[in-house]
Amino acid sequence: MLAMEYRGPKRVRAVQKPMPEIKHPQDAIVKVLRTCICGSDLHLYNGNVPDTRVGSTFGHEFIGEVVEIGSEVTKVKVGDRVIVPFNIACGECHFCRQGMFGNCHESNTEATAVGAIFGYSHTAGGFNGGQAEYARVPYANVGPTIIPAGMDLDDAVLLTDVVPTGYQAAEMAGIQPGDTVLVFGAGPIGIMAARCAWLFGAGRVMIVDQEDYRLEFARNYSYCEAYNFKEIGDPVLFFKKATDWLGADVVIDAVGAEAAGNTMQTITGRKLLLQAGSATALHWAINSVKKGGVVSVVGVYGPTDNLVPIGNVLNKGLTIRANQASVKRLLPRLIEHIQNGVLNPKALITHRIPLEEVADGYRMFSAKLDNCIKTVMIPPTANHQ
Amino acid sequence: MESNKINTPIDPKQIKGWGIDADPKNDPTYPMRQPRMNITQDPDYKHRPESLQPVDTEVLRSVERPNVSAVFGTPEPPKGLSGLIRRAAFHFSENEYAHWLPLLLADRVDVVEGVLDDLVHGKLPNIYAEKGYPVEWKHNRTSLILKLTTVAAVATGALVLLSSNGKKSKKRKGYRSAYYDDQA
Ligand SMILES: NC(=O)c1ccc[n+]([C@@H]2O[C@H](COP(=O)([O-])OP(=O)(O)OC[C@H]3O[C@@H](n4cnc5c(N)ncnc54)[C@H](O)[C@@H]3O)[C@@H](O)[C@H]2O)c1
Ligand SMILES: [Zn+2]
Ligand SMILES: [Zn+2]
């Protein structure tokens, strides 16, 4: 089968690989219909996630058709079309039973701090991902959710990560009606977080990025104010002034470790790898939130350390909430929102390319070429579906 | 509704879905509304899935857990020099730099091993294509040219430096450091 393959920092290609096999009675094999490239893939692509092995296949955002099931699989059958949440979760452990499907304890042997994620290095369990024609999906009784009749496949594939993550970013922020919400990052996640902030009753939503085309998109899609951090001087000071010198009630970090905007952070974090990526956005978030406010972090960092002004968290009495999105937990509500026309995820997709062009797809998304926001890849076997 | 072309704050109530999840009763979610569970509240906290994936490949296990998880990924087991480094890294807990930094080193070694592996299999990796430069050429030519020229300049510089050092040391019939040469 055709699959994306990692060869080294910023080097990927499409190659023929053996078909995935059932390894556990709760496994299913899924024929991939749509798969996306995500901001999280960029941490791998740039070679910043420890234990990213050459030859791995990335891809944690995919939907597909079940083509084979293990002996204990009862919730899906061959022929079903399913949304596959990006987290691999057993549904039974101490954490899954608390709804923490992003923190399952029975799917990743390599790191206890990290849940298992498809195609996301051995630090996240060593599973091959869905940027391929077929993928092994463990715990098929738990994660895979049948795509509701009539749902567009492009909406479905964004339910694997972007919609739940954006929504959870807003949810973790504990937004109270009337709150001023500030979102760092106008990638797919930040755009979705800004859109979802309104669902929790936000009174004002602002988004920050350095890419004008993304800001323009966010302004229209998320109905928010949008600011380019390269044009506003010190962003913390700017947002203090914009909020009557108080700061935003809640701030969302939807940037993570590839952040730009501060030379010292970029050099120590992204070039020298002395910290786990650059923490510029988180730094700004902590400093621009109001005293007593909440910083909600979905931008990905780690697993090693980052330089952030933790003293200000203490002095300002802040709450920090962060997690990998618990996709499975949120799916029922988000499917409803899409069916009722409250959310329109597929509008984020700007590029559709065949899986064969994966190397170009990564470069395009990473270098933000051709006004790219979200890229969906279509494997050859799924061409006309 | 109308798109927001300039940064004018808008009336949120116009936005479809405004406030529909503001009421906690609508919120299906943890951890916002439900308290977490401790082990007294969850006496079955050690529960594991009944079937365990047979360990038929080398899985590196974090020393912070007692067992291999019920499922795990099987591709790309550790091999070669990078594999040796990875195995060594897994002697240390996730709390230690001695765990993570060697893993990053192993990743870089793996890249070199990957190129060698390609060559052994008679395949010359098309690095230009793998890096997605064709699409950068199409959409952002200036930056690509700049990038490639910088790489070429640095590489040429390094070559010139190395070869001139080489010549000097030959003349002196023995190894001298560049620093020593400068002082001489
Ligand atoms: N927690 C989760 O479950 C989860 C899930 C998916 C993605 N993520 C993470 O969310 C983050 C965003 O993902 P994405 O797909 O939108 O990525 P993306 O790369 O498309 O978007 C990130 C955006 O941040 C902008 N940016 C860079 N530095 C900035 C700064 N200092 N301030 C403001 N904006 C800045 C970039 O220009 C870019 O537009 C990534 O870190 C990704 O790993 C987390
Ligand atoms: Zn993702
Ligand atoms: Zn679990």
Side-chain angles (χ1 to χ4, degrees):
Chain A
M1 65 157 185
L2 193 74
M4 170 275 180
E5 184 186 60
Y6 172 74
R7 298 307 300 174
K10 294 196 166 69
R11 278 180 56 209
V12 302
R13 65 191 182 197
V15 294
Q16 287 297 324
K17 280 190 156 192
M19 283 285 288
E21 290 167 18
I22 302 266
K23 300 276 182 190
H24 180 273
Q26 278 194 52
D27 282 0
I29 305 295
V30 159
K31 179 173 92 172
V32 177
L33 297 173
R34 297 279 186 282
T35 176
C36 292
I37 302 176
C38 172
S40 298
D41 291 323
L42 297 183
H43 314 313
L44 300 168
Y45 181 65
N46 292 333
N48 294 347
V49 180
D51 218 351
T52 302
R53 301 186 191 168
V54 168
S56 324
T57 294
F58 300 166
H60 57 272
E61 302 186 3
F62 62 100
I63 56 168
E65 184 177 314
V66 178
V67 292
E68 194 185 343
I69 53 174
S71 57
E72 289 176 14
V73 175
T74 52
K75 299 275 168 63
V76 293
K77 54 183 190 315
V78 171
D80 283 348
R81 289 181 161 203
V82 289
I83 296 162
V84 182
F86 76 82
N87 349 79
I88 300 171
C90 73
E92 304 180 42
C93 70
H94 182 57
F95 301 98
C96 284
R97 274 183 289 121
Q98 298 177 61
M100 298 170 73
F101 294 101
N103 311 89
C104 175
H105 211 54
E106 286 296 347
S107 41
N108 182 1
T109 304
E110 270 108 335
T112 56
V114 189
I117 301 173
F118 286 99
Y120 209 75
S121 83
H122 277 69
T123 294
F127 295 88
N128 269 341
Q131 290 168 4
E133 285 184 289
Y134 295 87
R136 170 194 171 206
V137 176
Y139 299 130
N141 288 331
V142 183
T145 302
I146 308 261
I147 301 176
M151 179 174 280
D152 194 304
L153 295 186
D154 289 347
D155 281 330
V157 74
L158 294 178
L159 277 170
T160 61
D161 182 343
V162 171
V163 188
T165 302
Y167 185 91
Q168 185 168 323
E171 179 201 47
M172 289 192 300
I175 296 168
Q176 295 172 19
D179 271 356
T180 295
V181 178
L182 173 58
V183 181
F184 283 100
I189 303 295
I191 292 170
M192 190 52 73
R195 178 68 187 86
C196 290
W198 297 117
L199 307 185
F200 294 93
R204 182 181 183 191
V205 180
M206 298 179 281
I207 200 166
V208 192
D209 202 291
Q210 62 173 342
E211 301 292 341
D212 280 325
Y213 76 92
R214 289 186 165 204
L215 292 167
E216 183 59 27
F217 186 94
R219 213 174 264 136
N220 294 319
Y221 181 90
S222 313
Y223 311 114
C224 60
E225 299 164 52
Y227 298 95
N228 190 325
F229 68 73
K230 290 193 296 197
E231 292 165 8
I232 58 176
D234 176 346
V236 170
L237 186 59
F238 179 87
F239 288 110
K240 281 279 173 64
K241 288 183 184 168
T243 52
D244 266 339
W245 303 94
L246 291 175
D249 297 293
V250 304
V251 181
I252 293 170
D253 171 1
V255 179
E258 312 303 323
N262 179 296
T263 313
M264 196 269 288
Q265 287 273 2
T266 303
I267 292 176
T268 55
R270 285 166 56 197
K271 306 291 178 210
L272 302 176
L273 300 187
L274 293 176
Q275 41 168 340
S278 127
T280 305
L282 184 52
H283 185 116
W284 290 350
I286 290 170
N287 287 345
S288 49
V289 73
K290 195 171 166 178
K291 291 180 204 176
V294 181
V295 175
S296 167
V297 187
V298 285
V300 163
Y301 298 93
T304 50
D305 308 42
N306 278 103
L307 284 171
V308 290
I310 195 73
N312 287 349
V313 176
L314 168 94
N315 288 323
K316 294 169 77 173
L318 304 185
T319 300
I320 297 188
R321 291 211 190 85
N323 210 341
Q324 297 286 350
S326 182
V327 177
K328 174 75 184 171
R329 168 174 67 84
L330 295 168
L331 276 182
R333 183 69 172 159
L334 296 174
I335 287 173
E336 233 175 75
H337 283 339
I338 292 173
Q339 287 175 330
N340 296 336
V342 171
L343 294 175
N344 174 19
K346 64 175 178 298
L348 291 170
I349 295 175
T350 49
H351 289 76
R352 313 169 67 79
I353 59 169
L355 179 61
E356 292 88 326
E357 291 172 19
V358 63
D360 286 354
Y362 267 85
R363 172 63 64 174
M364 166 116 58
F365 182 68
S366 156
K368 310 205 162 43
L369 303 174
D370 198 27
N371 291 351
C372 179
I373 291 179
K374 190 74 180 171
T375 302
V376 64
M377 294 190 290
I378 306 174
T381 32
N383 234 339
H384 302 292
Q385 322 212 26
Chain B
M1 62 172 279
E2 282 285 290
S3 75
N4 186 10
K5 292 257 183 290
I6 41 162
N7 286 325
T8 29
I10 49 173
D11 174 13
K13 295 193 180 73
Q14 284 179 282
I15 296 168
K16 184 156 190 183
W18 182 79
I20 54 177
D21 288 338
D23 182 348
K25 282 202 289 287
N26 294 340
D27 190 337
T29 55
Y30 179 94
M32 291 303 304
R33 313 289 179 190
Q34 268 174 35
R36 62 192 164 73
M37 281 199 290
N38 63 32
I39 59 175
T40 322
Q41 293 156 326
D42 182 24
D44 204 16
Y45 69 96
K46 282 191 174 162
H47 175 85
R48 309 192 69 199
E50 208 173 284
S51 304
L52 304 178
Q53 180 178 336
V55 184
D56 54 5
T57 181
E58 182 177 355
V59 196
L60 297 178
R61 178 175 60 80
S62 164
V63 293
E64 291 182 43
R65 59 176 299 137
N67 50 25
V68 172
S69 51
V71 304
F72 51 87
T74 50
E76 317 308 332
K79 58 172 194 310
L81 177 61
S82 59
L84 287 178
I85 304 173
R86 293 191 207 284
R87 287 183 198 111
F90 271 81
H91 288 114
F92 299 93
S93 82
E94 295 162 53
N95 182 45
E96 305 263 11
Y97 284 112
H99 179 76
W100 299 110
L101 299 184
L103 284 175
L104 281 170
L105 172 68
D107 290 349
R108 299 300 178 264
V109 173
D110 201 2
V111 173
V112 179
E113 289 173 328
V115 173
L116 294 178
D117 192 57
D118 267 350
L119 296 177
V120 166
H121 288 93
K123 184 168 179 171
L124 195 66
N126 182 349
I127 292 181
Y128 185 81
E130 289 174 359
K131 281 187 168 278
Y133 284 151
V135 80
E136 185 135 16
W137 177 253
K138 192 166 156 205
H139 294 288
N140 199 5
R141 200 159 296 181
T142 344
S143 134
L144 180 65
I145 292 173
L146 202 72
K147 205 170 342 191
L148 294 180
T149 340
T150 316
V151 171
V154 170
T156 321
L159 267 176
V160 169
L161 214 79
L162 281 174
S163 58
S164 67
N165 270 349
K167 271 182 213 147
K168 275 187 198 162
S169 349
K170 229 186 241 164
K171 245 189 266 163
R172 289 168 200 262
K173 290 198 177 98
Y175 174 74
R176 294 258 179 107
S177 73
Y179 174 75
Y180 192 87
D181 282 347
D182 285 344
Q183 304 298 305

